[in-house]
């Protein structure tokens, strides 16, 4: 299977002291880890920030969707809506 079409991988993260499982494709885990490193944050801390942002939305998506959308918007050259 080509690297771009890998199935999701489930990992446990802790947000505000509560463990939760997130399933993301490896390319999204790689992007999340890279962005956390760029910001000098643990992955859990970055996920917690994304979680706070998503909860501010009028109709918040699930956390996995919010992470994917956040990563897409954070790409260089992207304009946030």
């Amino acid at each position: 299977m080509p690297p771009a079409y890998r199935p999701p991988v489930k990992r446990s993260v802790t947000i505000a002291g509560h463990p939760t499982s997130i399933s993301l494709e490896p390319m999204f885990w790689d992007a999340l880890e890279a962005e956390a490193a760029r910001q000098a944050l643990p992955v859990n801390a970055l996920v917690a920030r994304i979680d706070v942002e998503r909860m501010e939305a009028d109709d918040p998506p699930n956390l996995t969707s919010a992470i994917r959308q956040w990563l897409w918007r954070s790409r260089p050259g992207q304009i946030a809506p």
Side-chain angles (χ1 to χ4, degrees):
M1 186 178 304
Y5 297 103
R6 307 285 307 187
V9 175
K10 186 178 282 192
R11 294 190 189 172
S12 181
V13 297
T14 302
I15 302 171
H18 301 284
T20 188
S21 293
I22 298 172
S23 292
L24 289 169
E25 294 76 9
M27 64 189 288
F28 287 107
W29 281 118
D30 292 346
L32 188 63
E33 291 167 353
E35 185 59 24
R38 191 186 73 72
Q39 293 189 28
L41 292 171
V43 170
N44 285 349
L46 181 54
V47 170
R49 282 187 183 178
I50 295 168
D51 189 45
V52 167
E53 286 181 25
R54 88 177 169 98
M55 293 308 294
E56 294 172 353
D58 291 334
D59 186 17
N62 68 50
L63 182 56
T64 301
S65 293
I67 291 169
R68 288 186 185 106
Q69 292 174 56
W70 187 92
L71 287 167
W72 181 261
R73 285 193 327 262
S74 70
R75 293 174 0 155
Q78 293 297 315
I79 299 171

